[in-house]
Amino acid sequence: MGGWAVYIATTSGPSRIQDISVDHQLSHAVMTVNFRTKRAAVTNAYADFVSSDAGLIARRVGEHRFRMKVSHDVQRGDSWQLAAFAAHALKAAGRLHSCRAPHHEDVRADLDGAEGGVWATGILGDDLGVLPVEKIKTKLETSWPLFEACNAANLPVICFLPAANETELPGSSDLAEFIRLTEETFPLIQFRYVDQVKFAAEFWLPEEAARPIGLSGPSDTDGKPFWVRYLGP
């Protein structure tokens, strides 16, 4: 199957972005929970996030009627935006690892066939700037079972955090110490502080994994792979 699993960091634990699809029966985007008929609490905010007027996704892919499935409800705030943006970028490039069934208690089962994981928390501005968020240490603590599962499966995980949270905010030193502990405990984890993002798969992947070799996804009119159209910001 291949691809990278994407996780929204929350204080109650990571929520896996299970799949993103286009549903032409929709009038606007929707975020649903674990293959069920339940909308996520932030579904209206997600519809705005991908919309063609105020949003960030439709202007880059020419579509806004998305159905995003997540493993656990995302209940409040906007810090899910960084992971959602990453998932859309990877989906456009054919590099998003999707789930074919509801969330499994054994995290390793959900990761079957994945190349690695992307874990993110951050708010995006309309200029693709990354704004700071709160409670990152708690989000990391509740994600340790995921990190353990990835480590056991020999899968790398890249964690994306707002650059402003590195040094500029109260508690930054405590966060830095906990990140060092996490890196020591799970050697396959990488942390990246970002202040600006790009809608390009290679931005979200390790350099050795970013080359889109052998993709079989949709192509544009000149025969180039789908991802080639989205290497800009």
Side-chain angles (χ1 to χ4, degrees):
M1 182 184 302
W4 287 69
V6 178
Y7 294 87
I8 299 169
T10 80
T11 55
S12 56
S15 181
R16 167 78 181 270
I17 297 179
Q18 298 168 313
D19 191 32
I20 302 173
S21 60
V22 173
D23 187 341
H24 291 121
Q25 295 183 354
L26 296 173
S27 59
H28 53 76
V30 63
M31 184 187 293
T32 60
V33 181
N34 203 29
F35 286 79
R36 300 191 177 111
T37 57
K38 176 182 178 181
R39 296 182 185 89
V42 299
T43 191
N44 290 337
Y46 171 66
D48 291 340
F49 181 74
V50 303
S51 67
S52 57
D53 50 7
L56 298 176
I57 305 302
R59 71 180 78 169
R60 291 172 171 84
V61 300
E63 182 56 73
H64 69 278
R65 293 165 293 183
F66 294 104
R67 184 180 297 276
M68 176 182 282
K69 297 177 182 179
V70 295
S71 62
H72 299 82
D73 194 7
V74 181
Q75 297 181 346
R76 64 182 65 86
D78 293 319
S79 64
W80 51 269
Q81 292 179 346
L82 188 58
F85 190 86
H88 274 282
L90 292 173
K91 180 70 175 182
R95 304 301 299 272
L96 179 68
H97 182 270
S98 298
C99 297
R100 298 180 179 177
H103 171 68
H104 199 284
E105 290 302 322
D106 182 359
V107 176
R108 288 173 296 182
D110 290 340
L111 288 166
D112 184 37
E115 300 172 60
V118 172
W119 180 102
T121 181
I123 301 169
L124 291 181
D126 61 6
D127 61 350
L128 300 188
V130 184
L131 306 177
V133 296
E134 299 179 342
K135 301 181 180 179
I136 294 178
K137 183 173 180 288
T138 301
K139 294 173 183 179
L140 286 170
E141 289 172 334
T142 58
S143 295
W144 268 41
L146 168 65
F147 299 156
E148 289 173 348
C150 290
N151 196 65
N154 201 35
L155 294 176
V157 178
I158 308 174
C159 298
F160 288 88
L161 306 174
N165 284 104
E166 184 173 12
T167 58
E168 299 174 13
L169 299 176
S172 295
S173 59
D174 290 341
L175 174 61
E177 183 176 345
F178 191 76
I179 285 175
R180 282 193 293 271
L181 174 62
T182 303
E183 289 175 323
E184 292 171 0
T185 306
F186 308 110
L188 295 178
I189 281 189
Q190 302 175 30
F191 283 89
R192 295 184 186 175
Y193 285 100
V194 292
D195 57 11
Q196 198 84 16
V197 296
K198 292 182 179 180
F199 197 75
E202 64 266 28
F203 180 88
W204 304 97
L205 301 179
E207 183 176 352
E208 63 273 16
R211 294 181 63 194
I213 298 174
L215 289 183
S216 58
S219 300
D220 63 15
T221 54
D222 64 2
K224 295 179 181 178
F226 188 63
W227 67 271
V228 173
R229 296 160 55 190
Y230 305 114
L231 293 185

